[in-house]
Amino acid sequence: MRERLHPPHSFHDPGRGTRHELVEHAAADGVPLTGLLWLPPARDPDVVVLAMHPRADFSRHYLVPWLVAGGYAVFGSTTRYLNNDADALHERLLFDVAGSIAWLRGRGFRRVILLGNSGGGSLFAFYLAQAGLAPADRLAAAPSGDRVALRETDLPGADGLILLAAHPGEGRFLLDRLDPSVVDEHDPVAADWRLDMYDPRNGYRPMRAGPSAYAAEFVAAFRAAQRARCARLDARALEWCESTRAARRRLGLPDAGGLPASERARLAREGLQRRYFLVYRTLADPRYLDPRLDPSQRPLGSIFAFGRDPVVGNFGEGLARSMSARGWLSTWSGLASNAALERTLPAVRVPTMMVNALADTDIYPAEARAAFAALAAADKVYVDLDWASHYLEPVGEEGARRRHPRQRAAEDAILPWLRQRWPV
């Protein structure tokens, strides 16, 4: 199947005889969604693998050809925040997961297995943690205070979970990438050199010149300052969210009718606000350039710098650049977001397989091992995939000499695991 490989998250030929259906369905709260259902030739299995990501399109996930060839159906569904998570509430994404599972159950699938790849892992773990609770115990609001109707919504369960190159959560991921040398959130360039991993005085070398070398004391101060910056961003976001709620509360008080018309108009407008801010410099992690930190088979760099020195991404586009206050708190804040594996996996009890790509530049072995240890499932399996990148592409000469990592992941790990528990 090597000749059918294509860039991440897409492919052109899913295999001879493979069938697919364009699906128009809805989230549990009625928001319209779309997806592609892939089926093996000639027959409909009763087991389906569901792939979703908070903002990426997994309707043509790169593992579809192998899973369908192995006899399983695959459903890749979009979410309401496809390609734009600037106002993403992970709590509302759970309605998208619920609606997708409900559609699959209605379509006749007896077993639904969740494929949590990259950010899909923390999304699905969050869903399973909430779905496993009694309705009265579920979250009633997002971190911003925005109400979410999880207690009043049916969250159908799933039968299994695959965590594939899954990071600890989008917020937790970004927490370790926030540039702590930022001294002014409105100035994308000004820096405190003592906390700047891209300053040669701290051990930095351009990637083309070889590895950087950061002292343990620098890394410790760097990590503490990252959390302090996140806390400052959180405080500003919470202040903005509370200002909006305060205006709405004031309008709802019995004496609001006695306010001047101009004041009522001002409060009404303020109550409608959804404030946004820019988050500069979000690609700073000493592990990108110092391979002694959390050693693995990875090369230098980050997938978000597209083969260049991460300094390019840090001072260029980066991640989470434009965010609403509530979207920041729910999705990209490593301190506030509920969608963090360390918070959710202790409540996940369905059979789970974790596949860790050992040459991933952005997810590290210690993180994968910590997540696996936190997982509450009695039936859990851990697999390390040698010389594989985040998108399961081969890395280095060792990777080039072996079967493609996607083929190894599917044929040696995922399909045997599925067949043992849910044969088709």
Side-chain angles (χ1 to χ4, degrees):
M1 299 182 72
R2 178 183 292 267
E3 68 275 7
R4 291 203 293 271
L5 295 173
H6 296 283
H9 310 319
S10 66
F11 58 93
H12 296 110
D13 180 7
R16 181 174 298 176
T18 296
R19 297 168 294 145
H20 68 276
E21 301 174 7
L22 175 62
V23 175
E24 295 182 352
H25 60 304
D29 60 352
V31 173
L33 306 172
T34 61
L36 285 177
L37 176 64
W38 299 90
L39 297 162
R43 66 183 184 87
D44 290 1
D46 62 359
V47 183
V48 63
V49 176
L50 171 62
M52 297 178 73
H53 186 279
R55 68 186 179 282
D57 184 356
F58 275 5
S59 62
R60 292 177 174 83
H61 192 275
Y62 56 75
L63 284 187
V64 167
W66 282 279
L67 297 178
V68 173
Y72 291 89
V74 181
F75 183 43
S77 176
T78 61
T79 74
R80 67 189 66 200
Y81 300 120
L82 178 63
N83 297 327
N84 184 359
D85 64 355
D87 191 39
L89 296 186
H90 259 73
E91 290 73 19
R92 291 183 180 169
L93 280 165
L94 302 192
F95 298 131
D96 299 359
V97 179
S100 298
I101 295 176
W103 185 87
L104 290 168
R105 299 288 191 195
R107 177 67 163 69
F109 291 104
R110 188 170 56 90
R111 302 290 188 183
V112 178
I113 315 304
L114 306 178
L115 175 60
N117 184 193
S118 191
S122 50
L123 170 61
F124 280 151
F126 185 24
Y127 178 84
L128 290 170
Q130 288 292 301
L133 295 173
D137 296 329
R138 294 174 187 159
L139 292 169
S144 58
D146 286 78
R147 184 181 179 278
V148 287
L150 295 174
R151 296 178 179 179
E152 299 82 30
T153 303
D154 180 33
L155 302 182
D159 300 282
L161 173 65
I162 302 165
L163 293 171
L164 175 62
H167 56 61
E170 290 187 302
R172 188 62 184 79
F173 176 88
L174 194 70
L175 185 60
D176 287 334
R177 274 81 186 169
L178 284 174
D179 188 338
S181 71
V182 169
V183 295
D184 181 351
E185 293 294 343
H186 301 289
D187 188 334
V189 176
D192 178 352
W193 74 267
R194 295 167 298 180
L195 294 170
D196 187 356
M197 67 169 276
Y198 297 111
D199 190 306
R201 288 171 286 185
N202 295 320
Y204 168 69
R205 297 176 69 194
M207 194 171 77
R208 65 179 181 277
S212 299
Y214 302 108
E217 296 78 12
F218 171 78
V219 174
F222 188 94
R223 295 301 187 201
Q226 284 179 310
R227 281 144 184 79
R229 183 187 176 197
C230 185
R232 293 192 299 271
L233 290 168
D234 286 4
R236 182 172 59 166
L238 284 167
E239 178 185 356
W240 287 352
C241 293
E242 177 54 32
S243 175
T244 298
R245 282 195 298 274
R248 293 174 181 170
R249 285 196 300 267
R250 183 71 184 93
L251 274 177
L253 292 176
D255 64 348
L259 295 173
S262 59
E263 177 63 8
R264 291 199 305 273
R266 184 192 68 80
L267 289 171
R269 293 179 179 186
E270 187 170 346
L272 292 171
Q273 283 302 304
R274 188 172 301 159
R275 298 187 67 175
Y276 285 72
F277 55 91
L278 296 178
V279 185
Y280 293 106
R281 288 155 55 188
T282 55
L283 208 64
D285 187 337
R287 292 175 294 188
Y288 285 150
L289 297 174
D290 188 343
R292 302 171 306 165
L293 305 175
D294 205 344
S296 69
Q297 298 171 347
R298 69 185 186 272
L300 298 180
S302 164
I303 57 173
F304 297 105
F306 306 105
R308 297 173 293 176
D309 193 308
V311 70
V312 174
N314 192 55
F315 287 92
E317 188 58 31
L319 296 168
R321 172 57 56 83
S322 176
M323 293 299 301
S324 71
R326 68 178 191 174
W328 167 264
L329 291 167
S330 179
T331 292
W332 286 111
S333 167
L335 301 178
S337 175
N338 289 310
L341 293 184
E342 62 190 14
R343 300 182 181 183
T344 59
L345 286 183
V348 173
R349 292 178 171 81
V350 298
T352 302
M353 163 169 275
M354 175 173 286
V355 180
N356 173 48
L358 284 176
D360 192 334
T361 58
D362 289 81
I363 301 169
Y364 306 103
E367 294 172 330
R369 288 192 294 266
F372 188 72
L375 178 62
D379 178 358
K380 59 181 184 178
V381 176
Y382 181 94
V383 175
D384 276 327
L385 196 62
D386 286 344
W387 305 108
S389 73
H390 182 68
Y391 297 118
L392 302 199
E393 292 284 3
V395 172
E397 294 181 1
E398 284 289 339
R401 283 197 288 265
R402 300 168 181 239
R403 285 181 301 143
H404 198 283
R406 295 177 183 176
Q407 183 177 7
R408 288 189 279 128
E411 296 180 353
D412 299 348
I414 295 174
L415 283 171
W417 181 80
L418 287 170
R419 287 168 180 153
Q420 185 179 11
R421 290 157 181 81
W422 307 283
V424 291

